[in-house]
Amino acid sequence: MKSVPVEVTAAPAVEPERVNLLGLDRRALEGFFAELGEKPFRVSQVLKWIHARRVTRFEDMTDLSKALRTKLAAMAEVRVPEAVADQRSADGTRKWLLRLDGANAVETVLIPEKTRDTLCVSSQVGCALECSFCSTGVQGFNRNLSTAEIVGQLWFVNRELAREQPERQVTNVVFMGMGEPLLNFRNVVPAAELMKDDHAYGLSKRRVTLSTSGVVPNLYKLAEVTDISLAVSLHAPNDGLRDELVPINQRHPLRELMAACRHYIADKPHRRITWEYVMLDGVNDSDAHAHELVRLLGDIPSKVNLIPFNPFPGTQYQCSPADRIQAFSHILSRAGLTSTTRKTRGDDIDGACGQLVGKVADRTRRQEKRTAVDGDA
Ligand code: SAH
Ligand code: SF4
């Protein structure tokens, strides 16, 4: 590199920020290449290099012209995440802590099963909603992840898998890690598009599932721009209880949420909603709650996923006993509802639902406020 003499008093040279192509979906890349005066077919080539072949150096992208490779190297980059910790559970579940910036890190969890490898991705550093049974919620919130940081979790885990078994790749993605994906709409949607793009990861719409606690206006927006699968964190069959467990319900009560969900699957004959229902001992797990749930779901094409509560330090809740979960599940199936009880995976490495905490530089000062309130009591 040529060195340029600088005066002692001059401000340090700041490198112009390069565009991270890892975070550009097909539409964004089309715009990027159009500005460079390049042909649209470059988009598929570059998507394939970055996401399918996991090549990060432009000089190695051999079907691009030499001139284009040089141009890209000067103005863009492919910056991928870096792991700061890697844990493996006795049941095969794996969890990585990925560094984002100096203060923050997020967790991404791989759940291997016989016929599929499911990746649970994070969409925010922490979460601004305060569901009372969720350790991510208790931790506070720092910021949204960028598209590159979201899709980077998939890129990274695919590379780890391929290192161990060349043909092995993530087959399903669920947005069930840290954060509320619909409160990071702008970055989550292009990330999901990349996951589905045939030249990037090629996952079908059935294999990419967004889980939301019920940000109703953004559910309508989502229906306009994508057809990925939807999971809804219900956890209670009536407003009184849901207001307490999932506080966003106070803003968007069940009537609104159910209407938005019906709208999401309208005109999609083979689609159904997955309802997540965490089993909390003595709170939402009675026979009466199960019957109320059946009435609430009515004729919506549904699958109910009963999740045994995963405890974390300081929580006020306990998981329902196994026979209670079974009795609850029987009521649902007798009413014709498909219900599955999620096996708890990875709890020995705190990789189970609601146990993901990453490293959140909390900007909501939630812990402090909580301590103050507890102290007053
Ligand atoms: N914010 C989104 C997605 C992340 S949470 C949402 O709430 O849907 C993923 C799932 O884990 C949600 O259904 C959530 O309610 C559930 N969950 C949170 N804490 C949990 C806990 N301690 N035990 C079991 N499930 C939990
Ligand atoms: Fe946020 Fe989902 Fe946890 Fe609620 S359950 S606090 S929405 S991550």
Side-chain angles (χ1 to χ4, degrees), residues 133-134 175-177 179-180 211-212 233 235 276 278 309-310 353-354:
F133 54 86
C134 173
F175 282 84
M176 294 185 188
E180 169 47 58
S211 172
T212 179
S233 293
H235 307 314
E276 294 159 278
V278 63
F309 170 64
N310 292 307
C353 297

Side-chain angles (χ1 to χ4, degrees), residues 158-340:
N158 270 347
R159 186 184 64 183
E160 293 299 295
L161 288 178
R163 276 179 177 162
E164 291 166 15
Q165 282 176 44
E167 296 304 316
R168 196 164 157 209
Q169 299 285 272
V170 168
T171 60
N172 296 62
V173 175
V174 291
F175 282 84
M176 294 185 188
M178 297 167 69
E180 169 47 58
L182 287 187
L183 289 180
N184 185 11
F185 192 90
R186 180 207 296 234
N187 297 332
V188 161
V189 169
E193 289 306 302
L194 277 167
M195 291 165 186
K196 287 196 307 162
D197 196 299
D198 282 341
H199 289 91
Y201 299 92
L203 300 178
S204 78
K205 61 191 177 198
R206 283 168 211 285
R207 291 174 178 267
V208 179
T209 303
L210 181 145
S211 172
T212 179
S213 56
V215 186
V216 167
N218 290 357
L219 252 176
Y220 284 103
K221 271 174 68 186
L222 192 71
E224 275 169 33
V225 296
T226 187
D227 55 1
I228 55 174
S229 302
L230 184 65
V232 175
S233 293
L234 199 56
H235 307 314
N238 60 61
D239 282 324
L241 185 54
R242 196 163 191 269
D243 281 353
E244 212 181 282
L245 299 176
V246 186
I248 196 174
N249 195 70
Q250 296 162 20
R251 215 174 326 149
H252 303 294
L254 281 171
R255 191 178 32 79
E256 279 183 32
L257 175 61
M258 302 315 278
C261 291
R262 281 178 194 276
H263 173 79
Y264 192 80
I265 52 166
D267 306 325
K268 300 185 185 101
H270 304 298
R271 305 307 293 284
R272 60 181 180 182
I273 307 245
T274 300
W275 306 97
E276 294 159 278
Y277 197 101
V278 63
M279 297 302 287
L280 303 170
D281 188 21
V283 176
N284 64 352
D285 63 348
S286 71
D287 285 358
H289 289 125
H291 290 295
E292 212 178 351
L293 182 59
V294 169
R295 282 197 297 278
L296 177 71
L297 300 184
D299 58 355
I300 303 178
S302 298
K303 178 180 147 197
V304 180
N305 207 336
L306 301 177
I307 314 174
F309 170 64
N310 292 307
F312 52 90
T315 179
Q316 55 180 307
Y317 299 112
Q318 285 184 332
C319 182
S320 312
D323 56 347
R324 180 81 309 261
I325 300 181
Q326 216 172 30
F328 196 95
S329 159
H330 276 152
I331 294 174
L332 302 185
S333 25
R334 274 205 305 275
L337 275 172
T338 310
S339 107
T340 52

